[in-house]
Amino acid sequence: MLFSHDTELTLRAVCALINSDRVDGEQLADQGALDSYLDTHGWTGRRDHDDAELEAVHKLRHRLGRIWAAADDEVRAVGQVNALLSDTRAAPWLTRHPEMPEWHLHLASIHDPLAQRMGAEMAMALADVVRVGELRRLKICAAPDCEAVLIDLSRNRSRMFCDTGNCGNRQHVAAYRER
């Protein structure tokens, strides 16, 4: 395992958030969809259930997408991760919960706004990627008709396709037919 369990979970949540408007249109159009995303990825704490909260999550999604786009420029990516850590006022502490009994980091109070808590956790996960020199694991799907992001957690960094639209299978079938 390259990253800690909670870092991998957060990196997967980042990908799902970014991809929520890149594949099949807007998937976080209302509070119900946001609640479903948050429940799927285990986000706890305060939820305001208002338009301002949804808009803040959409802005965070866009900001995280820019970090993925900058992954091939380490200085630019680090600058963006540092800015996100600073803007969210990340303050780490160790904790555990009945549903996740392993020790893990939280970086914002459960009383802070949702987008701030999410941004702090996601920025720290991305900081872990930077610290181990693995920014090249942040990828955009190699399928010509897909712009989804992915985190390549394979041993040899060989993953090329997202898992949002069956892109890998479609590309392999097309290559087979071409041969």
Side-chain angles (χ1 to χ4, degrees), residues 162-173:
C162 70
D163 54 5
T164 61
N166 200 24
C167 293
N169 188 48
R170 286 186 298 111
Q171 295 305 306
H172 291 107
V173 167

Side-chain angles (χ1 to χ4, degrees), residues 2-4 7 10 16 19 30-31 53 61 63 73 75 98 102 104 116 119-120 124 136 158 164-165 171 175:
L2 184 63
F3 303 107
S4 66
T7 296
T10 303
N19 290 336
D30 57 33
Q31 196 61 47
E53 181 176 71
R61 172 177 67 189
R63 193 170 183 180
D73 181 345
V75 172
E102 300 85 19
H104 60 279
Q116 180 181 343
M124 190 63 187
R136 63 186 170 262
S158 61
T164 61
Q171 295 305 306

Side-chain angles (χ1 to χ4, degrees), residues 15 17-18 38 69 76 79-80 86 96 118 127 138 140-141 173:
C15 288
L17 180 61
I18 295 169
L38 297 171
R76 200 169 103 215
Q80 291 179 10
S86 175
R96 60 182 169 189
M118 290 174 65
L138 306 182
I140 309 261
C141 183
V173 167

Side-chain angles (χ1 to χ4, degrees), residues 70-130:
D72 61 343
D73 181 345
E74 183 177 60
V75 172
R76 200 169 103 215
V78 167
Q80 291 179 10
V81 170
N82 280 338
L84 187 55
L85 284 167
S86 175
D87 293 348
T88 60
R89 298 186 303 279
W93 77 91
L94 287 166
T95 189
R96 60 182 169 189
H97 318 279
E99 68 276 4
M100 189 175 185
E102 300 85 19
W103 287 104
H104 60 279
L105 285 175
H106 275 218
L107 293 125
S109 166
I110 61 170
H111 304 292
D112 287 336
L114 175 64
Q116 180 181 343
R117 291 192 325 271
M118 290 174 65
E121 302 278 340
M122 292 173 169
M124 190 63 187
L126 290 165
D128 283 348
V129 172
V130 171

Side-chain angles (χ1 to χ4, degrees), residues 9 16 42 49 53 61 64 91 115 118 131 143 154 156 164 176-177:
L9 290 176
H49 293 100
E53 181 176 71
R61 172 177 67 189
L64 292 164
M118 290 174 65
R131 286 181 330 111
S154 67
N156 62 356
T164 61
Y176 174 78
R177 289 181 177 156

Side-chain angles (χ1 to χ4, degrees), residues 9-22 37 41 61 64 68 122 137-139 148-152 159 163-164:
L9 290 176
T10 303
L11 290 169
R12 286 186 174 103
V14 174
C15 288
L17 180 61
I18 295 169
N19 290 336
S20 68
D21 77 338
R22 293 186 178 207
Y37 165 83
H41 294 283
R61 172 177 67 189
L64 292 164
W68 239 261
M122 292 173 169
R137 290 185 181 271
L138 306 182
K139 298 179 178 180
V149 300
L150 60 111
I151 179 74
D152 183 355
R159 188 165 171 214
D163 54 5
T164 61

